[in-house]
Amino acid sequence: MTVLKVRHLTTYRYRRPVGFGEHRMMFRPRDSYDQRLLEATMTISPRPSALRWVHDPFGNAVTLVRFDRDADELVFESRITVEHFPDPIDFQSEERAKTYPFSYAPEETPDLAPYMVRQCPDPDGELERWARRFLRPGQDTPTGRLLMTLTAAVGESFVYNRRTESGTQDPLTTLRLGRGTCRDFALFMMEAVRSLGFAARFVSGYLYVPTRDGPRHLGGGSTHAWVQVYLPGAGWVEFDPTNGIIGNRDLIRVAVARMPSQAVPLSGTFLGRAEDELGMTVEVQVTSNDPAAG
């Protein structure tokens, strides 16, 4: 068990005081057997006139805030502390799911169906052909090996780069450009495994970057994104194609969703002219209380 702390600071700046529409935040981690939320604080400036919590369709905690005063700066600071319990990578799936292809059980299929439907166009089957390169022709393929190979292949085949513009590029763009962000890689892998019939969902959260030992992870210093794939008997298993991480090691889960647009950490509007906007800065720090961590 490791105690991890996250400080997430987002600052918007404007040329002159502007008004603000409702803002939506997804900063509170999901409590589970492998991570337990110990503390969470939120500081917002200017002070909101109203704040409320809701759960979205996926069970994520969402904070909604409104403002009644203008300002030339809008600041959100989230601080969380979690107990993190890394899972061993053992793929203890049911016997029928140990090799690919397999079928989900009839009682699971209705609930998994939304996560099996591909959401991005692939008219010529380019993405599916890429995914099928990792199957063993004419014979079954060990499921765990297939998913681990796909995860590693994304990191080895594409170049990671940060992108200032918002949004997630579609998988065919990632395939053709050969580069992308962690959100791009997560969507790419999610759609690739869906093309093979797996149920997969998008995960947004944070990445702990050990600085004392081992290679540096990609995507640290910001929010992070990866994929969960459902395996009968094993449940939702984490796969981070950006760093080749299998399981929840170093990953702090905040939100899960069917598509990236449903798991945006912070979104909202301002009331003013387009030229009033000076830009946004984001700082994320993830630290460990365990001196042996990393």
Side-chain angles (χ1 to χ4, degrees):
M1 181 270 290
T2 303
V3 175
L4 298 176
K5 294 189 173 185
V6 180
R7 177 179 181 258
H8 183 166
L9 177 67
T10 304
T11 305
Y12 298 92
R13 293 183 174 88
Y14 305 89
R15 293 184 190 280
R16 62 183 181 87
V18 298
F20 302 106
E22 185 175 74
H23 279 64
R24 183 179 190 269
M25 293 167 283
M26 302 179 80
F27 293 153
R28 185 182 179 90
R30 293 173 67 97
D31 277 299
S32 185
Y33 65 90
D34 58 354
Q35 69 175 31
R36 183 179 304 125
L37 180 62
L38 300 179
E39 185 178 7
T41 61
M42 175 83 67
T43 304
I44 304 172
S45 177
R47 187 181 180 89
S49 59
L51 182 150
R52 64 191 180 97
W53 290 86
V54 298
H55 282 107
D56 71 4
F58 309 103
N60 302 311
V62 180
T63 315
L64 301 170
V65 294
R66 298 193 177 202
F67 302 88
D68 61 2
R69 55 166 291 195
D70 296 354
D72 60 5
E73 187 175 83
L74 178 61
V75 181
F76 298 87
E77 183 180 26
S78 167
R79 291 178 180 265
I80 60 171
T81 303
V82 297
E83 281 185 326
H84 196 256
F85 303 84
D87 271 345
I89 306 168
D90 52 12
F91 288 110
Q92 291 190 14
S93 57
E94 295 178 9
E95 192 63 34
R96 62 186 170 87
K98 290 188 181 299
T99 57
Y100 176 88
F102 67 89
S103 297
Y104 291 116
E107 61 270 20
E108 295 176 322
T109 302
D111 299 310
L112 296 175
Y115 302 102
M116 298 170 67
V117 177
R118 298 178 64 183
Q119 303 294 318
C120 300
D122 185 18
D124 299 319
E126 294 177 66
L127 183 58
E128 185 173 354
R129 282 196 300 274
W130 183 90
R132 290 193 172 277
R133 290 167 42 204
F134 303 98
L135 301 178
R136 301 197 302 186
Q139 54 184 317
D140 291 341
T141 304
T143 302
R145 183 186 304 170
L146 170 61
L147 292 171
M148 287 190 287
T149 302
L150 280 166
T151 303
V154 174
E156 294 168 0
S157 301
F158 305 115
V159 176
Y160 172 83
N161 70 313
R162 293 184 184 273
R163 194 173 58 250
T164 54
E165 60 267 27
S166 59
T168 307
Q169 69 189 18
D170 68 86
L172 290 185
T173 299
T174 301
L175 183 61
R176 292 164 185 168
L177 293 179
R179 64 177 183 270
T181 66
C182 60
R183 291 178 76 87
D184 300 332
F185 295 159
L187 177 58
F188 179 89
M189 180 169 174
M190 186 169 67
E191 288 288 283
V193 298
R194 283 174 176 172
S195 77
L196 300 179
F198 289 97
R201 61 188 187 183
F202 183 88
V203 190
S204 176
Y206 300 104
L207 172 69
Y208 169 61
V209 181
T211 56
R212 295 157 63 93
D213 303 299
R216 183 177 178 84
H217 290 331
L218 298 171
S222 183
T223 55
H224 194 53
W226 60 96
V227 180
Q228 289 181 336
V229 179
Y230 187 82
L231 299 177
W236 291 103
V237 181
E238 323 269 348
F239 296 90
D240 177 7
T242 303
N243 295 292
I245 297 174
I246 314 296
N248 70 338
R249 176 175 52 89
D250 299 333
L251 300 173
I252 302 173
R253 191 184 318 111
V254 172
V256 299
R258 184 171 44 84
M259 286 294 289
S261 60
Q262 299 167 315
V264 177
L266 175 61
S267 61
T269 59
F270 75 94
L271 311 175
R273 297 189 297 263
E275 58 267 26
D276 292 333
E277 188 174 12
L278 294 178
M280 172 188 73
T281 59
V282 179
E283 300 174 37
V284 174
Q285 296 173 316
V286 184
T287 56
S288 171
N289 276 6
D290 181 1

